[in-house]
Amino acid sequence: MKPAIAFFDFDGTITTRDTLFEIIRFQKGEGALYTGLALLSPALVMMKLGLISKQRGKDLVLQYFFRNTPIDEFRDKCAAFCRDRLPGLIRENALKEINQHLSKGHRVVVVTASAQEWVKPWCDCVGIECIGTQLEIRNARVTGRIHGVNCNGEEKVRRIRQQYDLPVFGDIYAYGDTNGDKPMLQIATFGFFRKF
């Protein structure tokens, strides 16, 4: 019998809100978050209107808040976020679904547009795998740019296929809550959109 695998989106599916703004709040403080968002609002509006890509908009946010941060310091704060703040943002029914898959011996993978730095430590604690957006690091510092492509939409499927030989699996489950998750849901035997 072939093993099963389950792919979960993270922000909005496992969590109650987008963790990009939560990691900024955690690392920089409430005042810095709102000041930064006010200054970035023209670019964020342009992104919403489709005048600049989501990846470009995300780059601008990451650059504003994290450019030149030493990577060790950034990772230490991300680990603290996963330990101290993230558990309060996890949906109880999502964690229950993850644990049900694990109890059946299924592999469970988070596939997220969020950076691996602030998702993978939580995944490691839960005992699941993680595919996330990768940040560009130069001279041991965060540049604030995405390395490669933002892990969203078709890129989620590309990254899944790159890491997993899907034909070896029997049932494939996928869970998501936005249009950016729909390509991932389409490769699943059982796709769940905004429900468990």
Side-chain angles (χ1 to χ4, degrees):
M1 188 172 170
K2 290 183 175 182
I5 192 165
F7 299 106
F8 284 79
D9 168 58
F10 193 64
D11 294 298
T13 300
I14 292 176
T15 66
T16 55
R17 60 186 74 167
D18 191 315
T19 56
L20 172 60
F21 299 117
E22 294 305 309
I23 194 72
I24 294 167
R25 190 191 315 273
F26 184 84
Q27 291 201 24
K28 303 295 181 179
E30 192 97 10
L33 170 65
Y34 290 121
T35 299
L37 291 179
L39 290 170
L40 290 164
S41 61
L44 296 174
V45 169
M46 288 172 68
M47 184 183 73
K48 284 286 185 191
L49 295 173
L51 300 174
I52 63 172
S53 70
K54 286 184 179 179
Q55 178 153 339
R56 177 67 183 135
K58 194 170 185 176
D59 273 346
L60 290 170
V61 171
L62 290 168
Q63 285 173 20
Y64 178 87
F65 288 104
F66 298 118
R67 181 174 36 212
N68 288 326
T69 304
I71 187 58
D72 289 342
E73 175 189 321
F74 182 71
R75 286 179 176 149
D76 285 348
K77 289 182 177 177
C78 287
F81 170 78
C82 287
R83 184 181 63 245
D84 302 335
R85 176 76 178 111
L86 195 50
L89 302 175
I90 302 297
R91 293 182 190 275
E92 193 176 317
N93 57 348
L95 193 55
K96 182 179 175 185
E97 192 78 6
I98 288 168
N99 287 328
Q100 283 180 352
H101 281 292
L102 291 173
S103 70
K104 293 174 184 174
H106 301 172
R107 288 179 80 172
V108 178
V109 186
V110 166
V111 187
T112 178
S114 280
Q116 282 187 272
E117 279 80 4
W118 68 80
V119 180
K120 190 174 185 304
W122 179 83
C123 291
D124 290 345
C125 286
V126 177
I128 61 180
E129 299 163 59
C130 180
I131 298 173
T133 292
Q134 296 174 335
L135 300 181
E136 183 182 76
I137 311 299
R138 284 192 185 166
N139 302 317
R141 291 180 177 269
V142 177
T143 67
R145 288 189 293 272
I146 292 169
H147 177 74
V149 180
N150 190 35
C151 188
N152 193 34
E154 293 295 340
E155 180 64 11
K156 287 194 174 193
V157 174
R158 192 190 73 75
R159 297 275 302 277
I160 287 169
R161 291 189 190 283
Q162 184 180 48
Q163 257 179 266
Y164 301 95
D165 182 14
L166 293 181
V168 308
F169 295 98
D171 291 333
I172 299 172
Y173 299 83
Y175 302 82
D177 73 313
T178 66
N179 287 337
D181 300 318
K182 287 184 176 176
M184 180 173 76
L185 270 60
Q186 288 167 359
I187 65 168
T189 319
F190 303 101
F192 300 92
F193 189 70
R194 297 180 182 168
K195 63 181 179 180
F196 293 102

